Amino acid sequence: MTTRGNIIIVGNGMVGHYCAEQLVMHGLHETHQIHVFGEERHHAYDRVHLTDYMTGQDALALRLHQEDFHTAHGITLHLNSRITDIDRAAKTVTTENEILPYTTLILATGSTPFVPPVPGNTGTAGLVYRTLEDLDLIRAAAEGAQHGTVIGGGLLGLEAANALKVLGLDVSVIQLGTHLMSAQLDEEGGRALKKRIEALGIDVRVLHQTQEIVPGTTHRHKLIFADGSSLETDMVVFSAGIKPQDMLGRACGLQIGPRGGIVVDNQCRTSDPDIFAVGECALWEGQIFGLVAPGYTMARTVAALLAGDAEAAFTGADMSTKLKLQGVDVGSIGDAHGQEPGCTSYRFIGEADGSYRRLVLSADGSRVTGAVLVGDNSYYDTIFQYVQNEIAPPADPAVLILPRGEGAELLGADALPDTATICSCHNVTKGAISNAIEQGCTDLGTLKKDTKASTGCGGCSALLKSVFETELTARGITVDHSLCEHFSYTRQELYSLVRVHNIRSFEELMAQYGNGGLGCDICKPAVGSILASAWNKPITDPLYIPLQDTNDTFMGNMQKNGTYSVVPRIAGGEITPDKLIVLGQVAKKYNLYTKITGGQRVDLFGAQLHQLPEIWRELLDAGFETGHAYGKSTRTVKSCVGSTWCRYGVQDSVGKALDLENRYKGLRSPHKLKFAVSGCTRECAEAQSKDVGVIATENGWNLYVCGNGGMRPRHAELFATDLDAETLVQYIDRFLMFYIRTADKLQRTSVWRENLEGGLEYLQDVIIHDSLGICDELEQQMQLVVDTYQCEWKNALTDEEKLKRFRTFVNDARPDPNIRTVPERDQVKPADNQPELPISAGPAGWTDLCAQSDLVPRSGVVALYNNAQIALFYLPDAQGEGRVFAVDNHDPFSHANVLGRGLMGDIHGQPVVASPLYKQHFNLEDGTCLEDASKSIHAWDARLHKGRVEIRARKVTAPAEAAMA
């Protein structure tokens, strides 16, 4: 790579990292060497959600980028590294270890907390709330403490108060001014917020000036106020504002504002044209912007300029804010204080619920210029768009803040101009959303990924959804939510129909609510899962066999050569030496490859179809049971050793994991479910990467939900804290059944949560506060599953009819000759599957193959004829006869002999089988592949005759014969 010099970013906070992302977006990493310096040891993290760290989230959960972001783009990241000097003449920066030249220098050094010079503000009486290290100090100070005090009643101060409350402390907030959040709210709004915060048990004292901090008598410290009053407390957190971190700029002679801050112009250039400043260290027209969104805008401006856009400019930033403080909605929009000359205001005061709303209009009434909201942010999006886009207000502007029942009108998404900012964090406009749709995006999750909309603070999620759906409709795009061609319903709707109408079979559901046909590899497994979730009948029931994919049909995970893996349940990862020996003996006897799984189980690979019953009989005799590793169901509950062995453990995590796994084992769901239980906040079981995570605390258990690893990792979110054992199980019961009831097909809990309107707060309202009035029903449904559990392998081994399915060939005892292994690392691995040898056309006349009783209705088996493997699919009729299809068992894509174990169905009226490995569809009439016309499988004529199945070579009609016909 030929570079045009070095771009050095000083600061690896949210704005510094976003600046690096913007440089990459413009391709500048391909033309420049980029260095990023961060004083902290952590990768860039989300400071907006610092409180989550106090609830048990680790630093990784707050990280703003993928692990390989910097290396993948050739960026050199210097962590725990401080720039000590800038030499503008030499254009170099100096660290404690090296000197680096720069072509362009970007200062993103942020700010530091302002701590008033109050005597005694040291140690646990001089804490601040800014970095992860600050929070570690706060957490340490909270050990053994009862009361904490925050000095400063602004936005960050109230966040700090919430963090102390999360740590279990009694909390006081001390505010020098007349009201809380004075930068965002007017006095009336501040008073309304004070009442709301006090209702949550937090002591709020306004007009209090702290003069000194002295040792306390009942607590560690004592605050002395100017009016002579005092307050005893165990710790003091200062959150009295910020100071721009401009020392480097001062030292190298850049222009600094009278009250601090590196002066920048409209292009974020400092007084040195080769040095830029962005974020809270930058002073633009006398203003320091203390929110992340303006910093992002500055970063975008600088990146665009460096990429050659000479028109890019920073022209100020909207300081509107929407947030939830300790459960209280607070919103501030535009000129919230009504400072524009001649402006007028409308106010709504809800004394009954403590809500307050103020709407500010221009002097001539032609524009909405600002608003204050306390108690209900449902008005925010509409008013924000009126302010941002200067939309003419309604004839009676008061309707914008009146209770909805009194006629307030929501501003439709279609009324917004293309320039309307939908996501201010990432500067996503309505026009950008429209453009994404024009490029083919019809999925909300994909839109968020592509545009980053609603991935910052998340406050625009409802508006984003509204605009997205409105734009789709305007283009005549109807997003069809039908499950497939056979059912014009979503999975959620089908689940409700099954429950409400007590439907017990696929045929019954198809007859009442389907569009006709056999079904397909989409609807059959989905309905099978719904029926299993609703009624918990064994999947080995003959009614369910035709609905299952091969993994569920044969209760093992099919591998690439057509063999299966065997995974017995090892609840909580706890296993006796005797059982470990049994697993080794079984693996050795059947020559199975053995591996420890990430879920603390032992996986045995390479079992052939006919071996599965033999293997499982030995395992069940030793006390094992099925592990459901093959199903969309509860898989594992991972655990650490907890307080039983670990010196840091505060609860018995293994015991809790055993309780949870034994309760939820066998639960069928839209996708697989993974749990973990950690015995302390060191989090050795990685509970925050699971669908359900449980972390022990001194007072009980913290519950996390909707996380997952895999292709698209997502950290779980804290759902509830310090739960007792009974409440923990109650919440998990409700959560899981609500997910099963409302998720889409094959939708992980993480994706379900991201698409859940109302987000985590809505989910908490449903599960904790029973806002929908369904919690009793959810608990009863879960109890039915628990009470009717049975091991599916035990069920199969006691039924000879079910065991008939476990035959490689229904008419021959030989194993599949195509399954071969080769040695590797003292074990075995599959040899490459071999292409099929040429096969004969088959017998000229009808030839007996097997008994009709060997067939499985609406499903497949395999028979052997002259070394040719023939997959037979049986479609019965009302008279007990019906039709048989005979096709090659060899999959031309994988070269494994597996098609007889594929799902039978129809697509557009054509009978098909879906390959169990990679899901290509083959027409059962003629063997053609629907996805790739160059591939096909051999087909034979087949018939039922006197209780037997007969085949013959497919008769090919000559052209002349066809013309005569």
Side-chain angles (χ1 to χ4, degrees):
M1 176 180 74
T2 303
T3 66
R4 288 187 245 154
N6 285 354
I7 299 175
I8 294 180
I9 301 174
V10 183
N12 190 40
M14 294 183 73
V15 173
H17 173 70
Y18 185 78
C19 189
E21 288 186 328
Q22 290 298 302
L23 296 178
V24 168
M25 191 189 80
H26 285 285
L28 291 166
H29 64 297
E30 297 175 348
T31 57
H32 294 73
Q33 179 61 54
I34 300 174
H35 292 262
V36 179
F37 286 86
E39 289 191 9
E40 293 186 64
R41 58 188 173 88
H42 300 285
H43 286 256
Y45 57 88
D46 183 358
R47 297 181 194 272
V48 175
H49 295 98
L50 271 182
T51 306
D52 293 347
Y53 184 68
M54 305 302 280
T55 63
Q57 289 273 47
D58 58 13
L60 184 61
L62 297 174
R63 186 181 289 183
L64 291 173
H65 57 82
Q66 296 293 324
E67 180 76 31
D68 64 347
F69 169 78
H70 297 91
T71 55
H73 297 101
I75 297 174
T76 304
L77 176 64
H78 307 260
L79 293 178
N80 205 20
S81 181
R82 188 168 65 90
I83 299 293
T84 58
D85 181 66
I86 299 171
D87 186 334
R88 291 168 55 196
K91 297 184 70 173
T92 62
V93 296
T94 302
T95 73
E96 294 167 343
N97 302 310
E98 61 183 329
I99 298 175
L100 279 176
Y102 68 82
T103 307
T104 300
L105 183 64
I106 304 171
L107 300 178
T109 48
S111 62
T112 57
F114 169 66
V115 179
V118 177
N121 64 356
T122 60
T124 55
L127 301 166
V128 293
Y129 187 85
R130 190 70 176 170
T131 67
L132 290 176
E133 281 76 12
D134 294 336
L135 268 64
D136 287 337
L137 291 172
I138 290 172
R139 184 184 283 149
E143 291 290 333
Q146 296 177 312
H147 187 276
T149 297
V150 176
I151 294 181
L155 173 57
L156 198 59
L158 294 179
E159 287 285 357
N162 186 40
L164 298 187
K165 191 169 174 60
V166 165
L167 291 173
L169 304 181
D170 294 329
V171 182
S172 294
V173 175
I174 309 302
Q175 170 71 335
L176 177 63
T178 59
H179 62 280
L180 298 176
M181 287 186 66
S182 55
Q184 290 83 19
L185 305 181
D186 61 5
E187 191 166 343
E188 191 75 40
R191 284 199 297 268
L193 178 59
K194 179 175 180 286
K195 289 179 183 178
R196 289 262 183 156
I197 296 295
E198 287 174 333
L200 298 173
I202 294 178
D203 171 40
V204 179
R205 306 186 186 193
V206 297
L207 295 172
H208 273 59
Q209 182 178 3
T210 306
Q211 286 197 323
E212 64 174 327
I213 303 172
V214 299
T217 54
T218 59
H219 295 275
R220 294 174 188 158
H221 311 290
K222 183 177 182 179
L223 277 67
I224 308 297
F225 300 115
D227 62 2
S229 62
S230 63
L231 171 68
E232 295 220 357
T233 188
D234 293 304
M235 55 192 296
V236 182
V237 179
F238 283 89
S239 184
I242 59 172
K243 296 186 301 181
Q245 194 154 284
D246 56 15
M247 294 84 70
L248 281 173
R250 286 180 186 273
C252 72
L254 295 178
Q255 184 181 351
I256 305 295
R259 301 181 63 181
I262 302 168
V263 175
V264 297
D265 62 15
N266 286 358
Q267 294 184 323
C268 298
R269 273 197 175 90
T270 67
S271 52
D272 183 323
D274 294 319
I275 301 178
F276 296 84
V278 296
E280 292 174 338
C281 68
L283 181 72
W284 178 83
E285 294 195 358
Q287 298 179 73
I288 296 288
F289 296 96
L291 296 177
V292 69
Y296 283 177
T297 304
M298 290 178 171
R300 284 193 296 271
T301 300
V302 172
L305 281 166
L306 295 178
D309 181 3
E311 301 300 315
F314 177 77
T315 57
D318 179 73
M319 297 296 285
S320 299
T321 307
K322 178 173 69 169
L323 63 155
K324 187 179 285 286
L325 290 167
Q326 301 171 38
V328 180
D329 279 349
V330 179
S332 174
I333 302 171
D335 182 21
H337 292 278
Q339 294 178 335
E340 183 177 304
C343 67
T344 57
S345 295
Y346 293 83
R347 287 181 172 86
F348 174 85
I349 300 173
E351 293 185 354
D353 62 359
S355 61
Y356 170 78
R357 295 187 284 278
R358 177 187 182 185
L359 187 74
V360 184
L361 274 77
S362 60
D364 60 3
S366 65
R367 293 177 292 112
V368 179
T369 59
V372 173
L373 305 170
V374 177
D376 186 354
N377 270 342
S378 65
Y379 299 80
Y380 184 95
D381 287 343
T382 293
I383 298 175
F384 178 79
Q385 293 302 329
Y386 272 99
V387 174
Q388 188 80 357
N389 299 293
E390 298 188 357
I391 297 171
D396 180 7
V399 300
L400 294 175
I401 58 171
L402 288 174
R404 296 299 185 203
E406 297 184 23
E409 299 176 1
L410 290 172
L411 184 66
D414 55 349
L416 300 177
D418 282 347
T419 55
T421 300
I422 306 303
C423 173
S424 56
C425 286
H426 293 287
N427 196 35
V428 181
T429 64
K430 179 184 174 182
I433 295 168
S434 300
N435 185 58
I437 294 172
E438 294 290 348
Q439 299 301 314
C441 177
T442 57
D443 173 72
L444 186 59
T446 303
L447 179 75
K448 291 180 179 181
K449 182 174 179 245
D450 291 348
T451 66
K452 289 198 170 185
S454 195
T455 62
C457 71
C460 63
S461 58
L463 180 61
L464 177 69
K465 184 173 185 290
S466 173
V467 170
F468 182 58
E469 292 179 350
T470 300
E471 289 298 294
L472 285 174
T473 302
R475 287 162 175 75
I477 301 173
T478 301
V479 181
D480 186 3
H481 296 292
S482 297
L483 188 67
C484 65
E485 66 178 83
H486 300 99
F487 290 98
S488 300
Y489 296 92
T490 63
R491 182 206 168 271
Q492 301 94 313
E493 291 166 339
L494 288 177
Y495 181 89
S496 297
L497 291 171
V498 165
R499 297 278 329 181
V500 171
H501 299 288
N502 197 32
I503 293 172
R504 303 285 176 144
S505 71
F506 181 84
E507 288 73 23
E508 189 180 351
L509 185 65
M510 178 67 81
Q512 293 187 39
Y513 298 103
N515 302 325
L518 303 178
C520 63
D521 56 313
I522 295 174
C523 63
K524 280 187 166 186
V527 172
S529 173
I530 289 170
L531 293 170
S533 298
W535 314 121
N536 209 35
K537 290 188 68 175
I539 59 169
T540 53
D541 188 292
L543 278 175
Y544 296 165
I545 287 296
L547 308 181
Q548 309 297 344
D549 205 344
T550 187
N551 288 0
D552 278 316
T553 299
F554 300 107
M555 295 177 288
N557 280 336
M558 179 179 275
Q559 304 304 315
K560 67 179 185 179
N561 64 344
T563 62
Y564 293 87
S565 64
V566 172
V567 189
R569 186 173 302 286
I570 301 176
E574 182 179 75
I575 188 169
T576 65
D578 286 341
K579 283 189 173 181
L580 272 176
I581 290 170
V582 169
L583 291 176
Q585 290 172 335
V586 168
K588 194 170 184 178
K589 178 177 178 180
Y590 294 95
N591 197 29
L592 304 177
Y593 171 79
T594 309
K595 191 177 187 302
I596 306 298
T597 75
Q600 299 178 334
R601 300 199 287 197
V602 179
D603 207 340
L604 311 176
F605 290 82
Q608 295 195 43
L609 180 62
H610 67 277
Q611 294 176 320
L612 289 173
E614 304 167 23
I615 293 170
W616 274 104
R617 187 170 279 111
E618 293 191 34
L619 293 175
L620 264 62
D621 287 346
F624 287 103
E625 63 181 358
T626 179
H628 291 95
Y630 47 80
K632 298 296 185 279
S633 58
T634 299
R635 295 284 183 87
T636 58
V637 182
K638 188 176 180 180
S639 71
C640 64
V641 294
S643 59
T644 310
W645 288 91
C646 180
R647 67 185 185 276
Y648 299 112
V650 295
Q651 302 281 358
D652 179 9
S653 53
V654 178
K656 182 58 63 184
L658 289 169
D659 290 344
L660 295 178
E661 186 156 352
N662 286 321
R663 179 172 182 82
Y664 300 115
K665 62 186 180 184
L667 175 67
R668 294 280 165 166
S669 56
H671 212 295
K672 61 188 175 186
L673 294 168
K674 295 186 178 182
F675 297 56
V677 183
S678 285
C680 71
T681 55
R682 289 173 179 262
E683 246 284 71
C684 294
E686 301 169 328
Q688 292 171 79
S689 64
K690 300 295 186 281
D691 299 278
V692 176
V694 178
I695 300 178
T697 71
E698 296 283 355
N699 302 313
W701 304 93
N702 285 352
L703 174 61
Y704 292 80
V705 296
C706 301
N708 70 260
M711 184 182 297
R712 187 170 169 238
R714 183 184 193 274
H715 268 73
E717 296 174 284
L718 181 65
F719 188 77
T721 60
D722 294 333
L723 301 177
D724 58 48
E726 182 180 352
T727 306
L728 175 69
V729 169
Q730 183 184 58
Y731 285 178
I732 296 175
D733 280 0
R734 296 173 178 181
F735 165 74
L736 291 174
M737 292 311 298
F738 188 60
Y739 160 64
I740 289 169
R741 174 183 286 201
T742 59
D744 203 353
K745 66 180 187 299
L746 300 178
Q747 189 175 53
R748 291 296 300 266
T749 59
S750 57
V751 181
W752 169 70
R753 155 65 186 88
E754 288 172 0
N755 287 278
L756 198 64
E757 196 165 345
L760 184 67
E761 292 163 15
Y762 168 72
L763 193 56
Q764 289 169 323
D765 283 341
V766 172
I767 303 306
I768 299 174
H769 307 300
D770 197 15
S771 60
L772 299 181
I774 60 172
C775 284
D776 286 345
E777 184 181 345
L778 297 176
E779 291 174 28
Q780 291 167 13
Q781 290 170 4
M782 180 61 79
Q783 196 59 48
L784 171 69
V785 172
V786 173
D787 293 342
T788 55
Y789 168 78
Q790 53 184 295
C791 173
E792 290 163 353
W793 262 110
K794 184 176 181 180
N795 177 282
L797 290 174
T798 55
D799 189 326
E800 289 301 321
E801 283 300 312
K802 293 174 181 176
L803 288 177
K804 286 182 180 179
R805 294 281 288 154
F806 296 90
R807 294 180 289 176
T808 301
F809 307 113
V810 296
N811 63 345
D812 196 294
R814 280 178 286 176
D816 183 352
N818 194 40
I819 295 175
R820 301 169 300 110
T821 60
V822 294
E824 182 177 69
R825 295 188 297 273
D826 297 325
Q827 295 204 72
V828 296
K829 71 173 185 177
D832 291 339
N833 295 332
Q834 295 186 346
E836 187 177 37
L837 297 174
I839 58 175
S840 65
W846 289 112
T847 301
D848 183 83
L849 192 62
C850 64
Q852 182 177 344
S853 58
D854 289 324
L855 302 178
V856 177
R858 294 174 295 280
S859 188
V861 297
V862 181
L864 202 60
Y865 175 78
N866 285 348
N867 293 323
Q869 298 187 24
I870 302 176
L872 301 170
F873 294 89
Y874 177 35
L875 187 59
D877 59 20
Q879 288 72 43
E881 291 295 321
R883 189 172 178 194
V884 179
F885 301 92
V887 295
D888 192 359
N889 188 42
H890 191 84
D891 179 356
F893 291 92
S894 65
H895 295 304
N897 295 326
V898 294
L899 292 185
R901 288 173 265 167
L903 261 174
M904 179 187 185
D906 67 340
I907 294 179
H908 306 312
Q910 299 178 7
V912 298
V913 60
S915 168
L917 281 174
Y918 303 119
K919 307 307 179 187
Q920 291 91 354
H921 297 86
F922 297 91
N923 189 321
L924 292 175
E925 300 270 11
D926 58 17
T928 56
C929 177
L930 274 60
E931 288 81 12
D932 185 348
S934 68
K935 302 284 187 182
S936 64
I937 56 177
H938 194 80
W940 291 266
D941 289 335
R943 73 176 184 180
L944 296 175
H945 182 66
K946 296 181 180 180
R948 305 293 294 177
V949 178
E950 297 179 343
I951 65 163
R952 70 177 183 186
R954 177 66 51 88
K955 185 178 180 182
V956 179
T957 305
E961 223 179 308
M964 289 175 63

